[in-house]
C-alpha cells in the first residue's frame, strides 16, 4: 500500500478496561433475536421488496422462530406503512410475535409511526438519533447538549403517545453510530432517555448499541459493551442489544464477544444482508451456537427452503461458500478431505456414537435438511477416497480398497479431459464403461458347470466347466477342470487361449436385495509382467459375476498393452 495513503488513517482507541471479565465468559444460551431483514435488509437491496415479497419474508421469519421482527420504517416510506397495515389488518402477526418499527427522534415521524401501529396488540417503537463525534461535528453541527435534547424530546413524545393507544408499547433507543461515539456520552444520552421512559425490571427498555460502522477489532467492541453494562445505572431495567455491521468482516465475531461481555439481544439479518458490507448474519451466529450444543431457539432444519425464499424475495444469491448454507459448504473436492470424510462417516456408522465427529464437517448436514449425496463431489483435484464414497453411497458399489487408486486415476483422466466437475451419474457411467461393459477383447457368451463334486479323500472341490468366449469377435468353446468354477475357467483361458495371468484378489457383495438380487464381483489379476489389473462383473449368479469380472480385468490389461 502507498505510504502516503496510510497517513490518512489512525488506530481505533482502546477502551481503558484493565479488569475486563468477558474473555473468561462462555455463551451458554441463546440471546433474544430480532430480525431486521424487512428494514435494514430491505433498504440495502437494489430492488426493494414489494408487498407480496415482504409478506413471504415475514412468514419465513416467523417460521424460523423470530419473536421480534423489525418490519420497517413506516413513517418514512409509503410501502413500509402499507406493509405494516397489511400485517395488522390482515391478521398476519401470530400471537407472541412482536412487530418492531423504526423512527427518528422527530415529531412528525413519531406521530405517523403510532398511526401505522394502531390496532396491533403489541409493538416495539425503536427510536434513534445519531450521536457520533463525526456526525455531530460534520453533519449536524451540534454539541452534546443539543444532541441529548433531541433524543430526550423524541423520547418524551414516544412515551406520551404510548399512553393514548391500545397497543402495548415497548421502547427501544439506539444512539446511532455507537462505535463512533465517546463512551461517556453514549452512556449519558442513554440514561437521559431511560429517565423519560421510566423502565422497570418487569418492563425494561431496549438499549441498542449499534456498530453502525464496524471500526475496530471485535475485542474492542466487547470492551465497549462490558464498560457500558458496568456503568449503566439501573442495569436491571435495560435489555442491552447489539446491532453489528460487517465493514471489517468480523460482525459475527463482534456479536459473539458482545454476548460474552453482557449483551442480551442481537439484531441482524439472514445471510448478513445490509448496507455496505452487510449486517451480522443471524443464521451463521445461530448455527455457531448449535454446533456447540447450545439451542439457538431458531429453526434452520430446512435450510434449503430458507435459501430459496431469501433468494426469491431479495433477488440476491447466497454465495456457494457461505457458512452452513452455501451450496458447496458440505462438499469436498480435495482428495485428502474426501478420504477423511469417507472414513469418518464409516467410523460413525460402525460406532453408532451419539456425538457428531466427522473430519472437515463441523455439523451434520442432515440437521439442516441437507443430504450426504452432496458432501463429496468430483473434479480434477479429487482423490480415490471421494470416488469410492460416491460409488458406495450413491450406487452401492463397495470397491475394494486396493481398487481405489486405479479407478481414481480413470476418473481423474475423464475430469481433466472435460475440465469440469463430474456428476455421480457420470462417475457411474465411467465405471460401467471401463469395467462392466468393456468387452473389446473377450466377452462371455455362455457358461456352464458340467459336473461338480467333492473328492472326500482329498477334501477338495472339483468342477468341470464349458464356456463359450468371443475372442475379438470369434467364438471359442473352452473346457477345463479346476478346484471350482472360477479356477476351472482360469485354467480354460490358460490352456485354451494361451493367456498368462495370476488370479491375485477376489471380492464380492450383494448389490441389491430380494430374490432377484444381483451380485457384484471384483477381481484383481497380475499379467505376465506382474502388473495389477482390476475388473468388475455383475450378475444374478455370483459365479457368472466372477467370470465377467475376470474377463473385465483381462480386457483392461489387453487394451492398455495395445495402447
Amino acid at each position: 500500500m502507498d505510504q502516503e495513503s496510510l497517513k490518512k488513517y489512525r488506530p481505533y482507541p482502546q477502551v481503558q478496561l484493565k479488569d475486563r471479565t468477558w474473555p473468561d465468559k462462555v455463551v451458554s444460551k441463546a440471546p433474544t433475536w430480532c430480525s431486521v431483514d424487512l428494514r435494514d435488509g430491505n433498504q440495502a437491496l437494489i430492488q426493494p421488496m414489494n408487498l407480496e415479497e415482504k409478506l413471504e419474508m415475514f412468514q419465513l421469519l416467523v417460521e424460523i422462530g423470530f419473536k421480534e421482527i423489525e418490519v420497517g420504517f413506516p413513517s418514512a416510506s409509503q410501502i413500509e406503512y402499507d406493509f405494516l397495515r397489511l400485517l395488522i389488518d390482515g391478521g398476519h402477526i401470530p400471537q407472541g410475535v412482536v412487530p418492531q418499527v423504526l423512527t427518528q427522534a422527530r415529531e412528525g415521524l413519531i406521530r405517523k409511526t403510532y398511526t401505522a401501529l394502531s390496532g396491533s396488540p403489541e409493538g416495539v417503537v425503536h427510536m434513534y438519533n445519531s450521536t457520533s463525534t463525526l456526525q455531530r461535528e460534520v453533519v449536524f453541527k451540534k454539541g452534546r447538549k443539543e444532541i441529548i435534547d433531541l433524543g430526550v424530546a423524541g423520547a418524551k413524545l414516544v412515551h406520551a403517545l404510548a399512553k393514548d393507544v391500545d397497543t402495548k408499547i415497548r421502547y427501544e433507543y439506539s444512539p446511532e453510530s455507537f462505535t463512533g461515539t465517546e463512551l461517556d456520552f453514549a452512556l449519558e444520552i442513554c440514561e437521559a432517555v431511560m429517565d423519560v421512559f421510566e423502565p422497570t425490571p418487569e418492563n425494561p427498555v431496549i438499549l441498542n448499541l449499534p456498530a453502525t460502522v464496524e471500526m475496530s477489532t471485535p475485542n474492542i467492541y466487547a470492551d465497549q459493551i462490558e464498560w457500558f453494562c458496568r456503568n449503566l445505572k439501573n442495569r436491571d431495567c435495560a435489555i442491552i442489544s447489539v446491532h453489528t455491521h460487517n465493514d471489517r468482516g468480523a460482525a459475527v465475531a463482534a456479536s459473539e464477544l458482545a454476548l460474552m461481555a453482557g449483551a442480551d439481544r442481537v439484531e441482524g439479518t439472514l445471510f448478513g444482508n445490509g448496507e455496505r458490507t452487510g449486517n451480522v448474519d443471524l443464521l451463521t451466529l445461530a448455527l455457531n451456537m448449535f454446533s456447540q450444543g447450545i439451542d439457538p431457539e431458531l429453526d434452520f432444519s430446512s435450510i434449503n427452503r430458507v435459501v430459496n425464499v431469501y433468494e426469491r424475495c431479495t433477488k440476491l444469491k447466497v454465495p456457494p461458500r457461505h457458512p452452513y448454507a452455501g451450496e458447496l459448504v458440505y462438499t469436498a473436492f480435495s482428495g485428502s478431505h474426501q478420504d477423511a470424510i469417507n472414513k469418518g462417516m464409516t467410523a460413525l456408522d460402525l460406532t453408532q456414537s451419539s456425538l457428531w465427529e466427522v473430519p472437515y464437517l463441523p455439523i451434520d448436514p442432515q440437521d439442516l435438511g441437507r443430504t450426504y449425496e452432496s458432501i463429496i463431489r468430483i473434479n480434477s483435484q479429487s482423490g480415490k477416497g471421494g470416488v469410492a464414497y460416491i460409488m458406495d453411497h450413491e450406487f452401492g458399489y463397495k470397491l475394494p480398497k486396493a481398487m481405489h487408486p486405479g479407478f481414481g486415476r480413470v476418473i481423474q483422466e475423464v475430469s481433466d479431459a472435460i475440465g469440469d466437475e463430474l456428476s455421480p451419474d457420470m462417475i457411474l457411467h465411467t465405471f460401467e464403461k471401463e469395467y462392466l461393459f468393456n468387452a473389446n477383447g473377450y466377452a462371455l457368451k455362455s457358461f456352464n458347470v458340467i459336473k461338480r463334486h467333492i473328492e472326500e479323500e482329498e477334501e477338495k472341490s472339483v468342477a468341470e466347466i464349458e464356456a463359450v468366449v468371443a475372442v475379438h469377435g470369434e467364438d471359442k468353446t473352452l473346457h477345463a477342470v479346476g478346484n471350482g468354477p472360477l479356477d476351472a475357467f482360469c485354467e480354460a483361458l490358460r490352456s485354451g487361449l494361451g493367456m498368462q495371468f495370476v488370479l491375485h484378489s477376489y471380492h464380492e457383495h450383494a448389490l441389491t436385495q430380494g430374490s432377484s438380487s444381483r451380485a457384484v464381483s471384483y477381481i484383481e489379476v497380475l499379467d505376465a509382467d506382474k502388473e495389477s489389473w482390476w475388473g468388475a462383473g455383475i450378475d444374478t449368479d455370483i459365479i457368472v459375476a466372477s467370470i465377467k469380472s475376470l474377463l473385465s480385468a483381462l480386457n483392461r490389461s489387453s487394451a492398455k498393452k495395445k495402447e
Side-chain angles (χ1 to χ4, degrees):
M1 298 294 289
D2 180 65
Q3 293 300 308
E4 286 300 315
S5 297
L6 286 174
K7 296 178 181 178
K8 295 190 291 185
Y9 306 101
R10 58 185 174 182
Y12 191 89
Q14 300 284 316
V15 178
Q16 298 307 308
L17 194 67
K18 300 299 184 183
D19 57 343
R20 60 182 60 81
T21 62
W22 65 260
D24 295 324
K25 300 294 179 61
V26 176
V27 176
S28 59
K29 65 177 183 177
T32 299
W33 302 104
C34 177
S35 161
V36 295
D37 288 87
L38 292 163
R39 198 270 304 171
D40 229 10
N42 186 58
Q43 76 178 13
L45 298 176
I46 297 172
Q47 181 181 341
M49 290 179 271
N50 59 33
L51 287 176
E52 291 75 17
E53 290 163 341
K54 281 174 172 283
L55 182 58
E56 184 176 11
M57 178 62 77
F58 177 82
Q59 290 170 337
L60 173 68
L61 296 170
V62 169
E63 182 182 316
I64 290 170
F66 287 99
K67 302 302 182 185
E68 297 179 11
I69 302 172
E70 192 161 272
V71 297
F73 198 150
S75 61
S77 167
Q78 187 61 45
I79 190 172
E80 299 201 8
Y81 183 99
D82 292 342
F83 177 60
L84 179 54
R85 295 314 312 165
L86 172 67
L87 290 177
I88 297 170
D89 297 336
H92 296 295
I93 305 175
Q95 185 175 2
V97 175
V98 181
Q100 179 171 302
V101 288
L102 186 70
T103 180
Q104 290 177 332
R106 292 166 52 190
E107 180 178 351
L109 300 181
I110 293 170
R111 291 186 181 279
K112 189 172 182 180
T113 298
Y114 273 94
T115 301
L117 199 55
S118 175
S120 177
E122 291 185 78
V124 175
V125 175
H126 180 188
M127 187 195 78
Y128 76 95
N129 65 304
S130 185
T131 59
S132 77
T133 309
L134 185 61
Q135 292 210 42
R136 292 199 317 263
E137 295 175 353
V138 175
V139 180
F140 302 110
K141 301 187 185 303
K142 294 181 182 294
R144 284 190 176 195
K145 183 179 184 307
E146 293 170 291
I147 295 297
I148 290 176
D149 289 345
L150 180 63
V152 167
K156 286 180 177 178
L157 183 58
V158 166
H159 189 48
L161 293 177
K163 299 175 182 178
D164 299 328
V165 296
D166 56 0
T167 300
K168 180 182 178 181
I169 299 296
R170 294 169 54 197
Y171 305 120
E172 177 174 351
Y173 174 68
S174 288
E176 189 195 4
S177 299
F178 167 78
T179 48
T181 304
E182 307 91 333
L183 275 175
D184 65 320
F185 180 55
L187 180 68
E188 183 182 1
I189 192 169
C190 284
E191 289 184 339
V193 169
M194 280 183 71
D195 288 342
V196 175
F197 287 147
E198 301 177 328
T200 64
E202 296 72 32
N203 187 30
V205 64
I206 300 169
L207 294 181
N208 189 50
L209 307 177
T212 308
V213 178
E214 186 177 35
M215 305 169 73
S216 71
T217 51
N219 61 297
I220 292 180
Y221 186 60
D223 281 349
Q224 291 173 318
I225 299 301
E226 180 168 339
W227 184 94
F228 191 93
C229 290
R230 282 191 195 183
N231 290 278
L232 179 69
K233 67 180 183 182
N234 301 324
R235 171 66 179 88
D236 61 341
C237 297
I239 295 169
I240 302 301
S241 176
V242 293
H243 179 121
T244 56
H245 280 247
N246 202 42
D247 300 88
R248 292 171 54 93
V252 168
S255 295
E256 289 178 329
L257 298 191
L259 290 173
M260 293 164 60
D264 311 298
R265 182 178 184 269
V266 177
E267 294 188 347
T269 60
L270 298 178
F271 308 110
N273 176 39
E275 292 282 14
R276 304 182 311 279
T277 55
N279 290 41
V280 66
D281 175 8
L282 296 185
L283 180 143
T284 297
L285 197 57
L287 290 179
N288 281 356
M289 293 181 182
F290 181 73
S291 73
Q292 303 302 301
I294 302 167
D295 183 2
E297 300 177 15
L298 295 176
D299 183 3
F300 291 108
S301 59
S302 297
I303 203 164
N304 287 344
R305 166 168 162 71
V306 176
V307 170
N308 291 339
V309 173
Y310 170 84
E311 291 186 339
R312 182 165 59 251
C313 292
T314 65
K315 313 297 190 300
L316 298 176
K317 293 292 292 182
V318 174
R321 298 292 181 186
H322 192 286
Y324 301 108
E327 179 189 359
L328 299 179
V329 295
Y330 305 110
T331 299
F333 289 106
S334 161
S336 61
H337 288 209
Q338 291 173 346
D339 183 58
I341 291 172
N342 191 9
K343 290 174 179 174
M345 298 288 289
T346 300
L348 201 64
D349 289 340
L350 290 174
T351 61
Q352 297 293 304
S353 172
S354 60
L355 290 177
W356 176 257
E357 293 180 313
V358 175
Y360 300 111
L361 294 177
I363 195 170
D364 184 347
Q366 285 192 332
D367 290 334
L368 306 182
R370 289 285 178 87
T371 60
Y372 294 139
E373 284 78 359
S374 63
I375 289 179
I376 290 178
R377 289 162 65 170
I378 306 301
N379 65 10
S380 61
Q381 303 301 308
S382 305
K384 58 186 185 296
V387 174
Y389 180 94
I390 294 291
M391 291 298 294
D392 183 2
H393 289 259
E394 292 276 359
F395 306 112
Y397 289 91
K398 302 182 185 301
L399 306 185
K401 187 172 182 61
M403 189 178 177
H404 294 183
F407 185 44
R409 286 191 294 270
V410 171
I411 292 298
Q412 195 163 39
E413 288 174 4
V414 175
S415 181
D416 283 338
I418 67 173
D420 200 356
E421 176 187 350
L422 296 185
S423 69
D425 286 341
M426 294 170 70
I427 293 169
L428 177 63
H429 174 73
T430 302
F431 176 78
E432 291 174 338
K433 181 180 178 181
E434 179 73 18
Y435 294 90
L436 301 182
F437 306 141
N438 184 351
N440 295 329
Y442 308 94
L444 184 66
K445 305 301 289 288
S446 67
F447 179 85
N448 293 289
V449 179
I450 298 173
K451 183 168 61 176
R452 187 170 186 175
H453 64 277
I454 304 295
E455 294 185 355
E456 296 182 0
E457 293 182 2
E458 299 183 18
E459 295 183 345
K460 68 177 182 179
S461 172
V462 177
E464 180 182 350
I465 62 95
E466 178 182 89
V468 177
V469 176
V471 181
H472 302 296
E474 181 181 353
D475 289 354
K476 300 283 187 178
T477 301
L478 306 174
H479 292 85
V481 176
N483 293 333
L486 180 58
D487 181 64
F489 186 69
C490 289
E491 178 57 32
L493 295 176
R494 295 188 187 102
S495 60
L497 300 179
M499 302 180 69
Q500 298 181 48
F501 65 90
V502 176
L503 186 63
H504 190 255
S505 297
Y506 175 85
H507 300 265
E508 66 180 52
H509 66 81
L511 194 59
T512 56
Q513 298 179 350
S515 59
S516 61
S517 65
R518 297 182 300 162
V520 57
S521 169
Y522 312 97
I523 282 180
E524 180 191 21
V525 300
L526 302 179
D527 62 17
D529 298 324
K530 304 301 182 184
E531 188 174 355
S532 169
W533 297 96
W534 280 90
I538 295 176
D539 200 272
T540 54
D541 185 328
I542 187 58
I543 295 175
V544 176
S546 65
I547 300 302
K548 291 179 178 179
S549 180
L550 174 62
L551 292 177
S552 167
L554 294 172
N555 281 330
R556 296 186 67 239
S557 172
S558 176
K560 293 299 180 183
K561 296 298 182 184
K562 288 180 180 179
E563 291 179 6

